[in-house]
Amino acid sequence: MDDLVGARITSLPDDAFYIADFITAEEEEILLQKITTAPLPRWTHLAHRRLQTWPSALTKSNTLLSAPLPSWLVSPIITPRFDSLGIFADAPHRAPNHVLVNEYLPGQGIMPHEDGAAYYPLVATVSLGAPIVLDLYPKGQQRGGEGEDGQRPQYRILQERRSLLITRKKIYTEFLHGIAETSKDECLDAHSVCNWDLLREPDRYRCGWAERETRISLTFRDVLKVANVGNTMKFLGGR
């Protein structure tokens, strides 16, 4: 992680990093094509968004059945970029083994939440298609965003398309994160956006707002408990 020193979001308590140009426009297009052409059963439809889970969802005991990630999620993101930066070098499996693909249409979001103890406390998120604002709330603060109970996020991170956001340590364990359900992200400036100095296109947001478009996120994590599929089937067969 030493190579990420220049990408650290210095206004946050440890630890978060932001790389604006993590993948190329061509690589983004390939990833979007793979996601949008995935078989319909791959999509899980929730109340406010839809998602894909690779290689599979966790079991009720927060266990991942061992299986490889598809090649299009490995290259060029994990190999060589994650590997060269050593992002998951300290994680138990030394690489992410689980990816959530979330689609956010304009007006869609997700309530402030935490990822929990099923994962190693590090999240690497690649944003595709459009920018979006991630809101951070201290855990002791009442959940919800402004317009629901008046609570404001303590920090806001603007995630541009093709960017990488890494969160770990206190940002993972002591904060909730969420995305407001809005058609426009507003009040964007160098004072409210904590990664403003790391943005690729800060001039685009000097007007103070950004219209929401369809944004897709790739969330890479390391699930701590992994079960071998063969052993699991053998166990179930003996019941």
Side-chain angles (χ1 to χ4, degrees):
M1 298 284 279
D2 291 342
D3 292 335
L4 288 171
V5 171
R8 189 173 187 276
I9 304 175
T10 56
S11 61
L12 292 177
D14 65 349
D15 233 350
F17 305 86
Y18 181 81
I19 300 176
D21 287 300
F22 184 69
I23 61 172
T24 67
E26 292 77 15
E27 290 166 343
E28 178 189 40
E29 184 61 33
I30 292 171
L31 287 166
L32 288 171
Q33 183 180 30
K34 291 288 187 180
I35 292 164
T36 56
T37 59
L40 288 179
R42 265 291 173 185
W43 288 102
T44 298
H45 291 263
L46 304 179
H48 300 286
R49 69 188 192 284
R50 63 175 185 164
L51 59 86
Q52 298 176 19
T53 309
W54 297 91
S56 63
L58 304 188
T59 68
K60 291 182 179 179
S61 61
N62 285 332
T63 300
L64 176 67
L65 300 182
S66 180
L69 291 170
S71 60
W72 55 272
L73 284 172
V74 175
S75 177
I77 295 176
I78 299 175
T79 303
R81 290 187 173 96
F82 282 6
D83 292 344
S84 64
L85 292 170
I87 294 173
F88 283 86
D90 294 330
H93 301 101
R94 300 184 64 83
N97 55 18
H98 189 260
V99 181
L100 278 183
V101 178
N102 281 290
E103 179 189 70
Y104 296 94
L105 302 179
Q108 294 183 336
I110 185 170
M111 289 291 292
H113 66 284
E114 59 183 313
D115 289 336
Y119 309 96
Y120 178 74
L122 185 155
V123 180
T125 303
V126 177
S127 292
L128 308 174
I132 209 163
V133 172
L134 182 73
D135 296 322
L136 300 178
Y137 302 81
K139 273 191 177 180
Q141 184 170 305
Q142 184 177 354
R143 297 188 180 212
E146 187 178 16
E148 296 169 343
D149 58 16
Q151 294 290 343
R152 294 174 178 268
Q154 182 169 345
Y155 300 107
R156 306 175 78 205
I157 300 173
L158 177 55
Q159 297 175 258
E160 298 167 288
R161 61 187 303 177
R162 301 192 297 278
S163 69
L164 171 69
L165 174 66
I166 303 167
T167 55
R168 62 174 190 165
K169 296 185 178 180
K170 287 184 180 180
I171 296 300
Y172 186 95
T173 59
E174 299 182 13
F175 285 82
L176 307 175
H177 56 278
I179 295 172
E181 294 183 344
T182 180
S183 59
K184 179 189 292 186
D185 284 307
E186 299 184 280
C187 300
L188 305 180
D189 57 40
H191 300 289
S192 65
V193 175
C194 61
N195 63 320
W196 186 269
D197 60 325
L198 298 172
L199 295 177
R200 176 177 64 248
E201 298 179 291
D203 288 344
R204 176 180 176 182
Y205 309 104
R206 293 196 189 279
C207 61
W209 55 271
E211 290 282 355
R212 286 274 185 92
E213 301 175 71
T214 299
R215 180 255 189 174
I216 291 177
S217 64
L218 308 179
T219 303
F220 293 78
R221 291 177 290 200
D222 184 5
V223 179
L224 298 176
K225 294 169 60 178
V226 179
N228 183 279
V229 176
N231 290 340
T232 302
M233 296 304 294
K234 181 179 179 181
F235 170 78
L236 291 175
R239 292 180 63 180

